[in-house]
Amino acid sequence: GQNIDQPTEMTATEGAIVQINCTYQTSGFNGLFWYQQHAGEAPTFLSYNVLDGLEEKGRFSSFLSRSKGYSYLLLKELQMKDSASYLCAVRLGGSYIPTFGRGTSLIVHP
Amino acid sequence: NAGVTQTPKFRILKIGQSMTLQCAQDMNHNYMYWYRQDPGMGLKLIYYSVGAGITDKGEVPNGYNVSRSTTEDFPLRLELAAPSQTSVYFCASSYSSRGGRQETQYFGPGTRLLVL
């Protein structure tokens, strides 16, 4: 199967750091994406990982461990506007078509 | 570039009615996708296309049909609307080449469909 697991909801304080995890079954891994989706809007691309390690992009970083079937999205210096759903999408089984997890709803409070 | 555009933005249908959700992209992407998103859920793939004239089923294709006569357009057809098809529909496109490193999906703004 292609189960992709993320926590349903997380809360954090403005200015803090939060880590959103994503786990998946490793068969035929071919890339992992993170998307941000604000309520009522379309998903927008945040990051892409295909090799092990950390990819940093401003306040956002994404980490991948292929052997563990594990990724996380790290958000630093949280802002209120970071309140959104964060979607993990994984390409598995040699396919170019990504499968999406259910998403993690992040609530940032003052 | 307009990116990915979808029409209509919102529609109410009666059970048994039919309609076509329009999707167009001007980025010359070869891959196009239709997803539905129900409250609190992730995106579920309905159909996708790897190029003009080629379409394939995704995870939840029942009750829908697609066609891809041009690179730019990928309409989604609902023949007999049912309440279970109440959802938000997103169209997306990407460029994929064999051995390509990164093929980000670009999403349209969505169509909100209510079937009563």
Side-chain angles (χ1 to χ4, degrees):
Chain A
Q2 299 183 354
N3 287 346
I4 300 170
D5 292 317
Q6 305 178 234
T8 301
E9 186 175 294
M10 300 182 70
T11 59
T13 305
E14 191 175 16
I17 299 172
V18 71
Q19 177 176 310
I20 302 173
N21 296 327
C22 174
T23 59
Y24 60 90
Q25 296 189 0
T26 58
S27 176
F29 175 82
N30 192 25
L32 184 145
F33 299 83
W34 284 98
Y35 287 85
Q36 180 190 59
Q37 185 179 25
H38 284 102
E41 298 182 7
T44 56
F45 170 77
L46 287 178
S47 68
Y48 174 73
N49 296 73
V50 67
L51 300 175
D52 290 348
L54 188 69
E55 295 272 350
E56 297 188 78
K57 196 182 289 186
R59 294 189 299 114
F60 292 7
S61 303
S62 58
F63 171 83
L64 176 68
S65 168
R66 288 173 295 172
S67 63
K68 295 181 180 178
Y70 168 69
S71 173
Y72 67 73
L73 181 69
L74 192 71
L75 291 76
K76 304 176 185 176
E77 302 170 13
L78 280 172
Q79 302 175 8
M80 298 297 289
K81 67 178 181 179
D82 297 330
S83 293
S85 183
Y86 292 85
L87 307 176
C88 173
V90 188
R91 294 198 301 218
L92 295 167
S95 171
Y96 279 90
I97 309 299
T99 298
F100 282 80
R102 290 190 171 193
T104 299
S105 177
L106 174 66
I107 301 169
V108 180
H109 55 83
Chain B
N1 287 352
V4 181
T5 57
Q6 291 183 238
T7 56
K9 290 184 179 180
F10 179 68
R11 182 78 183 267
I12 299 174
L13 281 183
K14 294 182 179 179
I15 295 172
Q17 285 186 320
S18 62
M19 77 164 293
T20 299
L21 283 66
Q22 301 292 344
C23 175
Q25 53 92 10
D26 61 0
M27 297 174 282
N28 202 31
H29 286 169
N30 49 353
Y31 278 50
M32 294 188 75
Y33 317 77
W34 273 106
Y35 293 92
R36 60 175 289 171
Q37 186 175 38
D38 299 318
M41 304 293 285
L43 297 163
K44 293 191 175 180
L45 184 65
I46 304 171
Y47 271 95
Y48 68 97
S49 168
V50 302
I54 306 170
T55 63
D56 209 345
K57 295 179 181 178
E59 183 184 357
V60 290
N62 291 344
Y64 307 94
N65 278 300
V66 292
S67 59
R68 183 97 182 268
S69 57
T70 66
T71 299
E72 294 78 18
D73 300 297
F74 191 40
L76 177 72
R77 179 81 177 163
L78 283 71
E79 290 294 349
L80 292 170
S84 61
Q85 292 178 306
T86 293
S87 190
V88 180
Y89 291 84
F90 288 103
C91 178
S93 72
S94 67
Y95 181 74
S96 290
S97 62
R98 293 196 181 277
R101 182 178 182 275
Q102 180 175 354
E103 298 94 20
T104 306
Q105 287 178 303
Y106 294 84
F107 286 83
T111 294
R112 284 149 184 79
L113 178 66
L114 178 61
V115 182
L116 299 174

